[in-house]
Structures are given as structure tokens and as C-alpha cells.
Amino acid sequence: MKKMRDVPSPRPEAYNRARTALSTAMAEPTATVVRPKRWFSWPKAGIAAVGAAAVATAVVMGTTGGTVPAGSPVAAPQVVDSPLVKLASDVKAAGAVSGDASLIIRSTTAPDNSPYVFYTIYTDKGQTFHGDSAKTVSASVAKGENQATEFDAKVMAAARLAANGDVEKAKNAIVNASPTGWALGQSTAEQEKAWAQRQEATAEVYRMKGLPVHPPKPRPTGKELEDGVNNTLWSNTTYALFIGAANAEVRSGVLKLLATIKDVSIGKTDAEGQSALTLTAGPSLQGGTGTHVLTVNADNGLPIRSEVIPAAGSDSKPSVTNYKSSRVNLADVVVGKI
């Protein structure tokens, strides 16, 4: 990618969302999934990624929505005794730090074991800028290359809604930000329609690729439905955290939303000399493909580390991403003061 100057770097957030969608797809017994045994070059991967993204989009199609009818296991009450709720309240009470934007620097290791750093600027007005260095992100801001998407706006609005009190409505909104067909908050008929649309979208992708199309599956119920919804909830809330963490309102809302997922276990640890909390989303929330561990500062909720641990027997490699978050002034970023 470094040698291909005319090709923009892939957004890490897009990778996270695609990984979650594909995990869900692989959990569905609709077709044999052949996983790559090694990393391949970007030029070749680009073509394959188009097909994979189409499958991911189709798999996620149909899960849009509003509130689940009364009695559904998905509409579980907020976990009020979660330490995340108190932390969220502390973050909200502390108020905003000076600045008009969040700077998130994420560091990870590329497949060739070389370090890879990615910069994201998320402004309080909803603009999003990206770059693979302080220089490129500054240039992006200076040129006004706002890369914010409708998805960004929806998840951030939902996080703010949660921070300001209506957690259940915010949960519906952030899950429905993805075209995944859960249709939370909508009527039974609307949910069934959304699910049917998801199934048809998936089938259409399989037809285009010449793969056998299996009969549509009924909309999940019980624990399967709960896990599916929480998979989307986890993915979308952590995405919001990873691009807007230094915004106190967004961070507070994300913590409250994560507290509603009862299958996320919370532990204590020490990370880089900081008192921290570990939030572990196990295989049931990851489509059975492994475990995702998010580490946040125990005092302010800022993300410190994100670790993906493949399931036992998988040929996938574990990955670790480290985060640094701070408040910045956009005017300073323009002139390279980061």
C-alpha cells in the first residue's frame, strides 16, 4: 500500500465492521467458507475484498430497526450494577475538555510485522478525517476532506442519546445504524419484513457469485436473537469509541450502551501503568470465531487496547491494537500541531 500512492489506505474502522459482519456470515450454515491460510498482497486482496464486502453487506442487510415487542429477550433492562454505568456517569460529570475535536491514534502490527499507525480526527460538528501519519491527517483537515459517513452520524447521535439518559432508545438506534435487519423497536410485521429483505439480499449475492442458494432461515428467537443483536451492538458501540473517544459525551454514551450487554464480562487489570477495566466479548458475541477484549482506562473510560483472540483451532492470527486519545483544536491540526 505504501508503494501504491494513488490508492487510499483502508480504514481500520471499516475492517472492524467487516470482520464482525463476516463473523456473523461464517456462523450461518449457508455455504462453505474457505479462510485464507496466509496474508496476500493488497492488489489481489482488493478484488477479493469487493466480493467479501458484498457478502458482508448482504449478510448485514435486513437488520435495521427500532424497538423489539414486549417480552423479547433482546429488550433487556440496562445492567445498572455494572461498573461501566458509574464510570459513564463520572465521565459525563467531568464535562468536556478544551478543544473542538477528538484525536485517536491507533497503532497495530501489519501482516509483515511492521508497525502501522492510523490517525482519526472526529470533530464535535461531526466531521471525520483520516491519515496514516500526523502529516497526512493534517493535510486532510487542511483540504477539508471530510470522510464522515451516514453511519458515523447515526452511531455518534445514538451514543450522545445514551449519555443523556434514554439508553433503550439509543440502543435501538445504534443497532439499527447498520443495515443488518434486526429492526429493533418496530412491529413484529416490520421485523419479519426486514429479516426477509436481509435473506433475499444475501441470496442475491450468492446468485451473483454462482454459489448455491439455500432456503431462507426464519428470524432467530431467544438466545440466538439476543446474541445476533448484541454482536451488532458491540461492533457499533466500539466503532464509535474508536473514532470519537476523546469526546466525553460520546464516550459516556458508549460505556452505558456496553453495560447493557450482559454477556460482556468485566475485569480489572493494569495497562501501561494505568488502572484499567477489561471488557470481554466472548464467542457467543463474535459469531463463534473467537474473543474480543477491550481495555479502557478505569478512571476516564478512554480506550487503551483492543485485542482479538481467535477461537481454538483457528488458523487466524491474534491481533492487538493500541490507542492514544486526546482533545485537539482543529485549527492547530491544520498547521501540523498534533
Side-chain angles (χ1 to χ4, degrees), residues 244-258:
N247 182 299
E249 196 173 37
V250 168
R251 189 164 75 256
S252 174
V254 164
L255 292 169
K256 285 186 176 182
L257 288 165
L258 289 172

Side-chain angles (χ1 to χ4, degrees), residues 14 47 61 67 102 180 203 237 272 283:
I47 299 174
M61 284 293 291
T67 338
S102 293
T180 39
T237 50
E272 300 177 5

Side-chain angles (χ1 to χ4, degrees), residues 20-33:
T20 299
L22 288 171
S23 293
T24 304
M26 289 187 286
E28 296 185 0
T30 53
T32 300
V33 177

Side-chain angles (χ1 to χ4, degrees), residues 10 54 65-66 69 75 77 85 111 134 163 179 224 252 255-256 264 275 278 282 291 304 306 309 330 333 337:
V85 176
E224 184 183 2
S252 174
L255 292 169
K256 285 186 176 182
V264 170
S275 176
T278 55
T291 299
I304 299 173
S306 172
I309 305 168
L330 212 58
V333 176
K337 295 181 179 178

Side-chain angles (χ1 to χ4, degrees), residues 173-193:
I174 203 163
V175 168
N176 294 338
S178 294
T180 39
W182 297 123
L184 297 190
Q186 299 183 17
S187 68
T188 301
E190 289 170 325
Q191 290 176 343
E192 290 296 340
K193 180 180 179 181

Side-chain angles (χ1 to χ4, degrees):
M1 290 300 293
K2 291 178 181 178
K3 295 178 181 178
M4 300 170 66
R5 300 299 182 185
D6 57 334
V7 179
S9 299
R11 294 174 58 178
E13 293 84 359
Y15 165 78
N16 289 338
R17 289 164 56 196
R19 178 179 57 79
T20 299
L22 288 171
S23 293
T24 304
M26 289 187 286
E28 296 185 0
T30 53
T32 300
V33 177
V34 179
R35 301 183 185 180
K37 293 184 178 180
R38 60 183 178 85
W39 290 86
F40 34 81
S41 65
W42 274 108
K44 294 179 180 178
I47 299 174
V50 173
V55 174
T57 300
V59 169
V60 180
M61 284 293 291
T63 37
T64 330
T67 338
V68 176
S72 167
V74 175
Q78 184 178 357
V79 186
V80 294
D81 60 344
S82 169
L84 298 182
V85 176
K86 181 183 184 304
L87 180 55
S89 298
D90 292 344
V91 170
K92 186 75 162 48
V97 180
S98 61
D100 57 12
S102 293
L103 167 64
I104 311 297
I105 305 175
R106 50 179 291 158
S107 305
T108 189
T109 303
D112 62 358
N113 292 320
S114 64
Y116 180 70
V117 181
F118 198 83
Y119 290 67
T120 295
I121 297 283
Y122 174 73
T123 75
D124 295 344
K125 293 181 179 180
Q127 301 162 296
T128 306
F129 302 93
H130 300 284
D132 56 8
S133 67
K135 182 178 179 179
T136 56
V137 77
S138 292
S140 180
V141 173
K143 294 175 184 177
E145 297 174 339
N146 178 18
Q147 298 177 56
T149 65
E150 183 180 359
F151 178 81
D152 291 352
K154 287 181 177 180
V155 296
M156 294 305 186
R160 289 189 171 98
L161 180 61
N164 291 305
D166 199 336
V167 177
E168 193 58 41
K169 185 176 180 180
K171 173 184 172 181
N172 294 341
I174 203 163
V175 168
N176 294 338
S178 294
T180 39
W182 297 123
L184 297 190
Q186 299 183 17
S187 68
T188 301
E190 289 170 325
Q191 290 176 343
E192 290 296 340
K193 180 180 179 181
W195 181 256
Q197 289 174 338
R198 164 183 172 159
Q199 296 285 290
E200 177 53 32
T202 303
E204 181 58 25
V205 171
Y206 277 80
R207 292 189 196 101
M208 291 171 59
K209 297 178 72 65
L211 299 173
V213 177
H214 296 259
K217 297 171 57 180
R219 189 173 188 269
T221 58
K223 189 64 166 62
E224 184 183 2
L225 173 61
E226 182 181 348
D227 287 345
V229 170
N230 284 337
N231 171 279
T232 305
L233 178 60
W234 171 270
S235 175
N236 292 0
T237 50
T238 53
Y239 171 84
L241 186 68
F242 293 154
I243 72 168
N247 182 299
E249 196 173 37
V250 168
R251 189 164 75 256
S252 174
V254 164
L255 292 169
K256 285 186 176 182
L257 288 165
L258 289 172
T260 69
I261 309 177
K262 66 181 183 181
D263 284 344
V264 170
S265 59
I266 302 172
K268 295 182 179 180
T269 189
D270 181 87
E272 300 177 5
Q274 307 171 57
S275 176
L277 298 177
T278 55
L279 286 61
T280 303
S284 65
L285 298 179
Q286 302 297 314
T289 61
T291 299
H292 187 182
V293 182
L294 170 64
T295 303
V296 301
N297 184 293
D299 297 319
N300 56 32
L302 289 172
I304 299 173
R305 182 181 302 115
S306 172
E307 183 176 8
V308 176
I309 305 168
S314 170
D315 57 3
S316 298
K317 294 182 178 180
S319 65
V320 177
T321 303
N322 296 305
Y323 293 86
K324 298 292 184 183
S325 311
S326 60
R327 291 290 287 175
V328 295
N329 290 302
L330 212 58
D332 291 337
V333 176
V334 170
V335 295
K337 295 181 179 178
I338 295 181

